[in-house]
Amino acid sequence: MTNKTTQHSLRISTLHLGLAMALAFAPSAFAQTAPTFALASVELPDAPGMTSRTEAPAGVSSSLALGESPQSSASYISARTPSMASHTDKYIEPGESAPSLSMGNKFALGFKDAFSLSSFGGWVVAAGYSQVTNGSPNYGTNATAFGKRFGAAVARASSEGVFSDSIMASVTREDPRYYRMGPGHNVIRRLGYAVTRTLITRTDSGHVSPNIALLGGNLGGSYLTKAYYPDLNTSNTEVLKTFGGSIGGSALGFAVSEFFPNINFFSFHKHND
């Protein structure tokens, strides 16, 4: 009984530590505004680049791909994409300008994306896969187990998202957004680009960088599972397995985000033809 009480106390302490980290960064994040970088008419290593040297307002970047044929994606862009993304948009469309982000913007973006409709779909998929394979977290295979897995998926994914996009991206000064390549490129190139965004990103100033924010945030969220996963899944080895699964899930999420708008777009036109 004493050992179980001690383990429970350690888990609660770990959870409190994670929450304390978030709260410690939050006040300064919303109070501080990051400097505006003049990114107009420059190639951005993490984004596909720019189709042309069209001028954009200072402090914004574009996701049009270098070498992309304007004719091949013009209809997609005109039908799907506004001229400027908001400060809380996680995914930037081809040709869409994206404003620079302050720390407060990153916190708002992180919380918005962590609890979005697409995130809800990810929670269901993660819980369902774990339920079917009877994998980690090992709650069993009955209906109650699925509910526990779903709750664990919500806690893990949302904490990883906030740690990555809000806290870590603010500390490392990295851009947490995903810039879609769009239909102007072949499928293999787009898929390769999407899955490598887990490892490669860009800084707020537009320079290519290892994706420390995503890797660090996912690791922090995975370690936090020690506070609520079953005992079987709380060893350091199991935490590393959870971390590996999170990176794979992030890669899958980017791939879906790269192609899903196209599926919706072409399905819409097919339905109306």
Side-chain angles (χ1 to χ4, degrees):
M1 177 66 70
T2 301
N3 289 337
K4 289 185 177 180
T5 302
T6 302
Q7 291 175 1
H8 179 73
S9 299
L10 288 173
R11 292 185 188 182
I12 296 300
S13 297
T14 303
L15 180 59
H16 286 171
L17 177 61
L19 294 175
M21 289 173 59
L23 293 174
F25 281 102
S28 60
F30 283 98
Q32 179 176 346
T33 300
T36 299
F37 297 95
L39 299 181
S41 302
V42 298
E43 293 178 20
L44 301 172
D46 177 57
M50 297 183 71
T51 301
S52 64
R53 293 295 177 182
T54 302
E55 291 295 324
V60 302
S61 57
S62 170
S63 65
L64 275 177
L66 182 64
E68 178 179 326
S69 169
Q71 293 79 13
S72 66
S73 58
S75 60
Y76 172 79
I77 293 172
S78 62
R80 293 281 301 178
T81 310
S83 59
M84 174 72 75
S86 77
H87 288 87
T88 57
D89 284 342
K90 168 79 171 182
Y91 302 97
I92 310 301
E93 298 290 349
E96 189 174 35
S97 296
S100 59
L101 299 179
S102 68
M103 292 177 68
N105 294 149
K106 291 178 182 179
F107 268 76
L109 181 153
F111 278 94
K112 176 186 173 183
D113 185 65
F115 298 99
S116 65
L117 183 61
S118 60
S119 295
F120 178 83
W123 304 334
V124 173
V125 170
Y129 177 79
S130 178
Q131 181 82 355
V132 170
T133 60
N134 194 23
S136 176
N138 295 100
Y139 291 113
T141 56
N142 56 26
T144 301
F146 179 80
K148 292 179 179 179
R149 284 192 167 96
F150 181 78
V154 173
R156 180 175 59 79
S158 58
S159 61
E160 288 173 351
V162 171
F163 283 172
S164 297
D165 296 342
S166 299
I167 299 176
M168 289 297 296
S170 296
V171 172
T172 61
R173 297 184 179 181
E174 293 173 7
D175 188 340
R177 294 170 291 194
Y178 178 82
Y179 293 79
R180 293 185 173 109
M181 293 192 82
H185 298 276
N186 66 58
V187 171
I188 299 300
R189 183 177 180 187
R190 293 174 67 191
L191 181 61
Y193 167 80
V195 299
T196 56
R197 293 316 92 185
T198 58
L199 303 176
I200 304 170
T201 189
R202 57 177 172 175
T203 62
D204 288 333
S205 56
H207 298 292
V208 68
S209 170
N211 202 339
I212 299 173
L214 185 144
L215 295 173
N218 279 15
L219 181 60
S222 297
Y223 186 80
L224 200 60
T225 61
K226 282 176 169 285
Y228 54 88
Y229 268 20
D231 291 340
L232 180 63
N233 308 119
T234 57
S235 68
N236 289 333
T237 299
E238 288 295 313
V239 168
L240 290 178
K241 289 181 181 179
T242 300
F243 172 64
S246 296
I247 297 302
S250 295
L252 177 61
F254 286 149
V256 170
S257 298
E258 176 64 41
F259 292 101
F260 188 71
N262 296 4
I263 295 171
N264 279 349
F265 174 71
F266 290 118
S267 297
F268 174 81
H269 278 269
K270 183 177 180 180
H271 177 73
N272 287 276
D273 286 342

